[in-house]
Amino acid sequence: MFVLVEMVDTVRIPPWNFQRQLNEAIAEELNKKLANKVVFNVGLCICLYDITKLDDSYIFPGDGASHTIVHFRYVVFHPFLDEILLGKIKYCSQEGVHVTLGFFDDILIPPESLQQPAKFDEAEQVWLWEYETDEGAHDLYMDQGEDIRFRVTDEMFVDTSPTGPSAAETPVIPGQPVAPPAEEVEKKEAPYTLIGTICDPGLGLLSWWNS
């Protein structure tokens, strides 16, 4: 679930931090820059593990801060495919069951990956499993806050780096025609999403569904 990733970055230390130990100041700047951020195709950064190498520091003209190339290792949340995780149901929608781990919320179990037969209750806004027994079918609801065990089947990274200004932000030039406003606002995408499938009831799901 967590991995150590080797990284290299240039860290800027402002003059008012020169009285501090260099390693301490660099560690604070790295955590300020990376902690709780998603790095494209790497994962969710958690915290600095250690600094492995410091190159020489430089002060450039017009900038009183020091600039140091730092080699370091960072703790990153990046589960491997087929890894089994335990989370809690955050909410349900037509898209599927949305799961949270507490520190990471962008997990989706799509309808086809739920226990079948499954259906979505529009009134309650929850998914339910129509569990067949000798006494007939029972509706087992996947309620918000319940524990759920799932297997990671896929991951999606989206580059959310800033792009050029939209048409709405383009300055109006006198005498030039103005483009009509966009009718649809693009939905903000999560930079890192895990796709999962619900685990077999033999792994313990029936215990909490029946509780």
PDB file of all heavy atoms in Angstrom, residues 168-197:
ATOM      1  N   ALA A 168     -13.701  32.141 -21.331  1.00  0.00           N
ATOM      2  CA  ALA A 168     -14.369  33.093 -20.436  1.00  0.00           C
ATOM      3  C   ALA A 168     -13.383  34.068 -19.812  1.00  0.00           C
ATOM      4  O   ALA A 168     -13.740  35.164 -19.411  1.00  0.00           O
ATOM      5  CB  ALA A 168     -15.141  32.341 -19.357  1.00  0.00           C
ATOM      6  N   GLU A 169     -12.079  33.625 -19.702  1.00  0.00           N
ATOM      7  CA  GLU A 169     -11.078  34.468 -19.070  1.00  0.00           C
ATOM      8  C   GLU A 169     -10.328  35.332 -20.076  1.00  0.00           C
ATOM      9  O   GLU A 169      -9.503  36.156 -19.702  1.00  0.00           O
ATOM     10  CB  GLU A 169     -10.095  33.588 -18.297  1.00  0.00           C
ATOM     11  CG  GLU A 169     -10.753  32.804 -17.168  1.00  0.00           C
ATOM     12  CD  GLU A 169      -9.802  31.792 -16.571  1.00  0.00           C
ATOM     13  OE1 GLU A 169      -8.801  31.469 -17.234  1.00  0.00           O
ATOM     14  OE2 GLU A 169     -10.047  31.341 -15.445  1.00  0.00           O
ATOM     15  N   THR A 170     -10.562  35.112 -21.370  1.00  0.00           N
ATOM     16  CA  THR A 170      -9.873  35.879 -22.400  1.00  0.00           C
ATOM     17  C   THR A 170     -10.373  37.314 -22.396  1.00  0.00           C
ATOM     18  O   THR A 170     -11.578  37.560 -22.421  1.00  0.00           O
ATOM     19  CB  THR A 170     -10.111  35.246 -23.783  1.00  0.00           C
ATOM     20  OG1 THR A 170      -9.723  33.870 -23.737  1.00  0.00           O
ATOM     21  CG2 THR A 170      -9.321  35.975 -24.852  1.00  0.00           C
ATOM     22  N   PRO A 171      -9.464  38.290 -22.348  1.00  0.00           N
ATOM     23  CA  PRO A 171      -9.912  39.690 -22.308  1.00  0.00           C
ATOM     24  C   PRO A 171     -10.678  40.067 -23.570  1.00  0.00           C
ATOM     25  O   PRO A 171     -10.387  39.601 -24.665  1.00  0.00           O
ATOM     26  CB  PRO A 171      -8.593  40.473 -22.184  1.00  0.00           C
ATOM     27  CG  PRO A 171      -7.532  39.538 -22.665  1.00  0.00           C
ATOM     28  CD  PRO A 171      -8.004  38.170 -22.300  1.00  0.00           C
ATOM     29  N   VAL A 172     -11.669  40.935 -23.384  1.00  0.00           N
ATOM     30  CA  VAL A 172     -12.506  41.378 -24.496  1.00  0.00           C
ATOM     31  C   VAL A 172     -11.818  42.532 -25.205  1.00  0.00           C
ATOM     32  O   VAL A 172     -11.414  43.517 -24.570  1.00  0.00           O
ATOM     33  CB  VAL A 172     -13.900  41.806 -24.001  1.00  0.00           C
ATOM     34  CG1 VAL A 172     -14.738  42.329 -25.159  1.00  0.00           C
ATOM     35  CG2 VAL A 172     -14.580  40.634 -23.310  1.00  0.00           C
ATOM     36  N   ILE A 173     -11.660  42.405 -26.531  1.00  0.00           N
ATOM     37  CA  ILE A 173     -11.042  43.455 -27.344  1.00  0.00           C
ATOM     38  C   ILE A 173     -12.146  44.243 -28.024  1.00  0.00           C
ATOM     39  O   ILE A 173     -13.015  43.656 -28.680  1.00  0.00           O
ATOM     40  CB  ILE A 173     -10.087  42.846 -28.388  1.00  0.00           C
ATOM     41  CG1 ILE A 173      -8.998  42.013 -27.677  1.00  0.00           C
ATOM     42  CG2 ILE A 173      -9.455  43.939 -29.249  1.00  0.00           C
ATOM     43  CD1 ILE A 173      -8.075  41.294 -28.621  1.00  0.00           C
ATOM     44  N   PRO A 174     -12.154  45.557 -27.844  1.00  0.00           N
ATOM     45  CA  PRO A 174     -13.205  46.372 -28.484  1.00  0.00           C
ATOM     46  C   PRO A 174     -13.255  46.124 -29.989  1.00  0.00           C
ATOM     47  O   PRO A 174     -12.223  46.064 -30.660  1.00  0.00           O
ATOM     48  CB  PRO A 174     -12.786  47.811 -28.159  1.00  0.00           C
ATOM     49  CG  PRO A 174     -11.943  47.686 -26.930  1.00  0.00           C
ATOM     50  CD  PRO A 174     -11.222  46.373 -27.056  1.00  0.00           C
ATOM     51  N   GLY A 175     -14.470  45.957 -30.488  1.00  0.00           N
ATOM     52  CA  GLY A 175     -14.653  45.754 -31.910  1.00  0.00           C
ATOM     53  C   GLY A 175     -14.596  44.300 -32.333  1.00  0.00           C
ATOM     54  O   GLY A 175     -14.912  43.967 -33.474  1.00  0.00           O
ATOM     55  N   GLN A 176     -14.168  43.396 -31.414  1.00  0.00           N
ATOM     56  CA  GLN A 176     -14.071  41.984 -31.733  1.00  0.00           C
ATOM     57  C   GLN A 176     -15.310  41.258 -31.220  1.00  0.00           C
ATOM     58  O   GLN A 176     -15.834  41.577 -30.146  1.00  0.00           O
ATOM     59  CB  GLN A 176     -12.819  41.359 -31.101  1.00  0.00           C
ATOM     60  CG  GLN A 176     -11.508  41.908 -31.654  1.00  0.00           C
ATOM     61  CD  GLN A 176     -11.273  41.458 -33.082  1.00  0.00           C
ATOM     62  OE1 GLN A 176     -11.707  40.387 -33.491  1.00  0.00           O
ATOM     63  NE2 GLN A 176     -10.593  42.300 -33.863  1.00  0.00           N
ATOM     64  N   PRO A 177     -15.808  40.256 -31.976  1.00  0.00           N
ATOM     65  CA  PRO A 177     -16.982  39.509 -31.498  1.00  0.00           C
ATOM     66  C   PRO A 177     -16.650  38.717 -30.237  1.00  0.00           C
ATOM     67  O   PRO A 177     -15.540  38.229 -30.058  1.00  0.00           O
ATOM     68  CB  PRO A 177     -17.297  38.570 -32.673  1.00  0.00           C
ATOM     69  CG  PRO A 177     -16.015  38.447 -33.426  1.00  0.00           C
ATOM     70  CD  PRO A 177     -15.318  39.783 -33.280  1.00  0.00           C
ATOM     71  N   VAL A 178     -17.619  38.623 -29.337  1.00  0.00           N
ATOM     72  CA  VAL A 178     -17.441  37.905 -28.071  1.00  0.00           C
ATOM     73  C   VAL A 178     -18.040  36.523 -28.205  1.00  0.00           C
ATOM     74  O   VAL A 178     -19.192  36.365 -28.630  1.00  0.00           O
ATOM     75  CB  VAL A 178     -18.115  38.668 -26.909  1.00  0.00           C
ATOM     76  CG1 VAL A 178     -17.932  37.904 -25.607  1.00  0.00           C
ATOM     77  CG2 VAL A 178     -17.546  40.072 -26.809  1.00  0.00           C
ATOM     78  N   ALA A 179     -17.251  35.507 -27.852  1.00  0.00           N
ATOM     79  CA  ALA A 179     -17.734  34.124 -27.935  1.00  0.00           C
ATOM     80  C   ALA A 179     -18.806  33.903 -26.879  1.00  0.00           C
ATOM     81  O   ALA A 179     -18.707  34.425 -25.758  1.00  0.00           O
ATOM     82  CB  ALA A 179     -16.586  33.146 -27.722  1.00  0.00           C
ATOM     83  N   PRO A 180     -19.843  33.140 -27.198  1.00  0.00           N
ATOM     84  CA  PRO A 180     -20.898  32.863 -26.207  1.00  0.00           C
ATOM     85  C   PRO A 180     -20.340  32.032 -25.064  1.00  0.00           C
ATOM     86  O   PRO A 180     -19.405  31.251 -25.239  1.00  0.00           O
ATOM     87  CB  PRO A 180     -21.933  32.068 -27.015  1.00  0.00           C
ATOM     88  CG  PRO A 180     -21.154  31.477 -28.148  1.00  0.00           C
ATOM     89  CD  PRO A 180     -20.084  32.472 -28.483  1.00  0.00           C
ATOM     90  N   PRO A 181     -20.879  32.205 -23.847  1.00  0.00           N
ATOM     91  CA  PRO A 181     -20.378  31.436 -22.697  1.00  0.00           C
ATOM     92  C   PRO A 181     -20.657  29.960 -22.859  1.00  0.00           C
ATOM     93  O   PRO A 181     -21.635  29.561 -23.481  1.00  0.00           O
ATOM     94  CB  PRO A 181     -21.165  32.016 -21.508  1.00  0.00           C
ATOM     95  CG  PRO A 181     -22.394  32.601 -22.133  1.00  0.00           C
ATOM     96  CD  PRO A 181     -21.989  33.087 -23.489  1.00  0.00           C
ATOM     97  N   ALA A 182     -19.751  29.163 -22.313  1.00  0.00           N
ATOM     98  CA  ALA A 182     -19.922  27.708 -22.386  1.00  0.00           C
ATOM     99  C   ALA A 182     -21.145  27.300 -21.589  1.00  0.00           C
ATOM    100  O   ALA A 182     -21.376  27.788 -20.479  1.00  0.00           O
ATOM    101  CB  ALA A 182     -18.677  27.004 -21.853  1.00  0.00           C
ATOM    102  N   GLU A 183     -21.931  26.388 -22.157  1.00  0.00           N
ATOM    103  CA  GLU A 183     -23.161  25.968 -21.490  1.00  0.00           C
ATOM    104  C   GLU A 183     -22.886  24.973 -20.376  1.00  0.00           C
ATOM    105  O   GLU A 183     -23.614  24.890 -19.403  1.00  0.00           O
ATOM    106  CB  GLU A 183     -24.111  25.346 -22.521  1.00  0.00           C
ATOM    107  CG  GLU A 183     -24.615  26.353 -23.553  1.00  0.00           C
ATOM    108  CD  GLU A 183     -25.609  25.723 -24.501  1.00  0.00           C
ATOM    109  OE1 GLU A 183     -25.884  24.514 -24.345  1.00  0.00           O
ATOM    110  OE2 GLU A 183     -26.112  26.421 -25.396  1.00  0.00           O
ATOM    111  N   GLU A 184     -21.829  24.203 -20.533  1.00  0.00           N
ATOM    112  CA  GLU A 184     -21.531  23.176 -19.539  1.00  0.00           C
ATOM    113  C   GLU A 184     -20.186  23.464 -18.890  1.00  0.00           C
ATOM    114  O   GLU A 184     -19.215  23.792 -19.565  1.00  0.00           O
ATOM    115  CB  GLU A 184     -21.501  21.784 -20.186  1.00  0.00           C
ATOM    116  CG  GLU A 184     -22.858  21.349 -20.731  1.00  0.00           C
ATOM    117  CD  GLU A 184     -22.796  19.933 -21.290  1.00  0.00           C
ATOM    118  OE1 GLU A 184     -21.715  19.328 -21.202  1.00  0.00           O
ATOM    119  OE2 GLU A 184     -23.821  19.458 -21.805  1.00  0.00           O
ATOM    120  N   VAL A 185     -20.169  23.379 -17.586  1.00  0.00           N
ATOM    121  CA  VAL A 185     -18.930  23.539 -16.846  1.00  0.00           C
ATOM    122  C   VAL A 185     -18.297  22.164 -16.663  1.00  0.00           C
ATOM    123  O   VAL A 185     -18.943  21.225 -16.221  1.00  0.00           O
ATOM    124  CB  VAL A 185     -19.197  24.185 -15.459  1.00  0.00           C
ATOM    125  CG1 VAL A 185     -17.889  24.306 -14.675  1.00  0.00           C
ATOM    126  CG2 VAL A 185     -19.868  25.533 -15.629  1.00  0.00           C
ATOM    127  N   GLU A 186     -17.029  22.061 -17.032  1.00  0.00           N
ATOM    128  CA  GLU A 186     -16.357  20.773 -16.933  1.00  0.00           C
ATOM    129  C   GLU A 186     -16.252  20.344 -15.469  1.00  0.00           C
ATOM    130  O   GLU A 186     -15.936  21.136 -14.588  1.00  0.00           O
ATOM    131  CB  GLU A 186     -14.956  20.856 -17.541  1.00  0.00           C
ATOM    132  CG  GLU A 186     -14.968  21.052 -19.053  1.00  0.00           C
ATOM    133  CD  GLU A 186     -13.561  21.003 -19.620  1.00  0.00           C
ATOM    134  OE1 GLU A 186     -12.633  20.700 -18.845  1.00  0.00           O
ATOM    135  OE2 GLU A 186     -13.394  21.257 -20.816  1.00  0.00           O
ATOM    136  N   LYS A 187     -16.530  19.079 -15.251  1.00  0.00           N
ATOM    137  CA  LYS A 187     -16.443  18.521 -13.907  1.00  0.00           C
ATOM    138  C   LYS A 187     -14.981  18.349 -13.515  1.00  0.00           C
ATOM    139  O   LYS A 187     -14.178  17.860 -14.290  1.00  0.00           O
ATOM    140  CB  LYS A 187     -17.159  17.164 -13.865  1.00  0.00           C
ATOM    141  CG  LYS A 187     -17.155  16.516 -12.501  1.00  0.00           C
ATOM    142  CD  LYS A 187     -17.861  15.171 -12.549  1.00  0.00           C
ATOM    143  CE  LYS A 187     -17.819  14.487 -11.197  1.00  0.00           C
ATOM    144  NZ  LYS A 187     -18.471  13.155 -11.240  1.00  0.00           N
ATOM    145  N   LYS A 188     -14.648  18.796 -12.319  1.00  0.00           N
ATOM    146  CA  LYS A 188     -13.282  18.681 -11.838  1.00  0.00           C
ATOM    147  C   LYS A 188     -12.963  17.211 -11.579  1.00  0.00           C
ATOM    148  O   LYS A 188     -13.673  16.521 -10.853  1.00  0.00           O
ATOM    149  CB  LYS A 188     -13.102  19.498 -10.559  1.00  0.00           C
ATOM    150  CG  LYS A 188     -11.671  19.525 -10.059  1.00  0.00           C
ATOM    151  CD  LYS A 188     -11.533  20.388  -8.829  1.00  0.00           C
ATOM    152  CE  LYS A 188     -10.095  20.405  -8.330  1.00  0.00           C
ATOM    153  NZ  LYS A 188      -9.942  21.243  -7.109  1.00  0.00           N
ATOM    154  N   GLU A 189     -11.871  16.739 -12.179  1.00  0.00           N
ATOM    155  CA  GLU A 189     -11.500  15.343 -12.050  1.00  0.00           C
ATOM    156  C   GLU A 189     -10.480  15.162 -10.937  1.00  0.00           C
ATOM    157  O   GLU A 189      -9.634  16.039 -10.690  1.00  0.00           O
ATOM    158  CB  GLU A 189     -10.928  14.821 -13.369  1.00  0.00           C
ATOM    159  CG  GLU A 189     -11.912  14.767 -14.514  1.00  0.00           C
ATOM    160  CD  GLU A 189     -11.311  14.124 -15.741  1.00  0.00           C
ATOM    161  OE1 GLU A 189     -10.715  14.851 -16.552  1.00  0.00           O
ATOM    162  OE2 GLU A 189     -11.423  12.891 -15.890  1.00  0.00           O
ATOM    163  N   ALA A 190     -10.550  14.021 -10.270  1.00  0.00           N
ATOM    164  CA  ALA A 190      -9.570  13.696  -9.238  1.00  0.00           C
ATOM    165  C   ALA A 190      -8.248  13.333  -9.910  1.00  0.00           C
ATOM    166  O   ALA A 190      -8.239  12.648 -10.936  1.00  0.00           O
ATOM    167  CB  ALA A 190     -10.069  12.527  -8.392  1.00  0.00           C
ATOM    168  N   PRO A 191      -7.117  13.786  -9.357  1.00  0.00           N
ATOM    169  CA  PRO A 191      -5.830  13.485  -9.999  1.00  0.00           C
ATOM    170  C   PRO A 191      -5.433  12.015  -9.921  1.00  0.00           C
ATOM    171  O   PRO A 191      -4.635  11.539 -10.733  1.00  0.00           O
ATOM    172  CB  PRO A 191      -4.841  14.366  -9.228  1.00  0.00           C
ATOM    173  CG  PRO A 191      -5.498  14.610  -7.907  1.00  0.00           C
ATOM    174  CD  PRO A 191      -6.973  14.645  -8.177  1.00  0.00           C
ATOM    175  N   TYR A 192      -5.983  11.289  -8.950  1.00  0.00           N
ATOM    176  CA  TYR A 192      -5.607   9.882  -8.762  1.00  0.00           C
ATOM    177  C   TYR A 192      -6.822   9.129  -8.241  1.00  0.00           C
ATOM    178  O   TYR A 192      -7.382   9.492  -7.200  1.00  0.00           O
ATOM    179  CB  TYR A 192      -4.437   9.787  -7.778  1.00  0.00           C
ATOM    180  CG  TYR A 192      -3.951   8.396  -7.452  1.00  0.00           C
ATOM    181  CD1 TYR A 192      -3.875   7.404  -8.423  1.00  0.00           C
ATOM    182  CD2 TYR A 192      -3.551   8.071  -6.164  1.00  0.00           C
ATOM    183  CE1 TYR A 192      -3.417   6.135  -8.126  1.00  0.00           C
ATOM    184  CE2 TYR A 192      -3.077   6.802  -5.850  1.00  0.00           C
ATOM    185  CZ  TYR A 192      -3.011   5.846  -6.837  1.00  0.00           C
ATOM    186  OH  TYR A 192      -2.548   4.571  -6.535  1.00  0.00           O
ATOM    187  N   THR A 193      -7.257   8.111  -8.972  1.00  0.00           N
ATOM    188  CA  THR A 193      -8.442   7.341  -8.593  1.00  0.00           C
ATOM    189  C   THR A 193      -8.121   5.857  -8.637  1.00  0.00           C
ATOM    190  O   THR A 193      -7.458   5.373  -9.572  1.00  0.00           O
ATOM    191  CB  THR A 193      -9.613   7.632  -9.551  1.00  0.00           C
ATOM    192  OG1 THR A 193      -9.889   9.027  -9.554  1.00  0.00           O
ATOM    193  CG2 THR A 193     -10.859   6.872  -9.125  1.00  0.00           C
ATOM    194  N   LEU A 194      -8.594   5.139  -7.619  1.00  0.00           N
ATOM    195  CA  LEU A 194      -8.473   3.680  -7.595  1.00  0.00           C
ATOM    196  C   LEU A 194      -9.815   3.066  -7.962  1.00  0.00           C
ATOM    197  O   LEU A 194     -10.866   3.535  -7.522  1.00  0.00           O
ATOM    198  CB  LEU A 194      -8.056   3.189  -6.207  1.00  0.00           C
ATOM    199  CG  LEU A 194      -6.656   3.583  -5.717  1.00  0.00           C
ATOM    200  CD1 LEU A 194      -6.438   3.056  -4.299  1.00  0.00           C
ATOM    201  CD2 LEU A 194      -5.582   3.054  -6.646  1.00  0.00           C
ATOM    202  N   ILE A 195      -9.766   2.019  -8.788  1.00  0.00           N
ATOM    203  CA  ILE A 195     -10.952   1.258  -9.150  1.00  0.00           C
ATOM    204  C   ILE A 195     -10.829  -0.108  -8.481  1.00  0.00           C
ATOM    205  O   ILE A 195      -9.775  -0.742  -8.541  1.00  0.00           O
ATOM    206  CB  ILE A 195     -11.074   1.081 -10.678  1.00  0.00           C
ATOM    207  CG1 ILE A 195     -11.000   2.453 -11.370  1.00  0.00           C
ATOM    208  CG2 ILE A 195     -12.368   0.373 -11.027  1.00  0.00           C
ATOM    209  CD1 ILE A 195     -12.098   3.399 -10.999  1.00  0.00           C
ATOM    210  N   GLY A 196     -11.914  -0.547  -7.835  1.00  0.00           N
ATOM    211  CA  GLY A 196     -11.838  -1.808  -7.107  1.00  0.00           C
ATOM    212  C   GLY A 196     -13.000  -2.720  -7.403  1.00  0.00           C
ATOM    213  O   GLY A 196     -13.970  -2.356  -8.079  1.00  0.00           O
ATOM    214  N   THR A 197     -12.884  -3.928  -6.893  1.00  0.00           N
ATOM    215  CA  THR A 197     -13.979  -4.886  -6.950  1.00  0.00           C
ATOM    216  C   THR A 197     -14.188  -5.420  -5.550  1.00  0.00           C
ATOM    217  O   THR A 197     -13.226  -5.623  -4.792  1.00  0.00           O
ATOM    218  CB  THR A 197     -13.669  -6.029  -7.933  1.00  0.00           C
ATOM    219  OG1 THR A 197     -14.781  -6.918  -7.990  1.00  0.00           O
ATOM    220  CG2 THR A 197     -12.444  -6.828  -7.511  1.00  0.00           C
TER     221      THR A 197
END
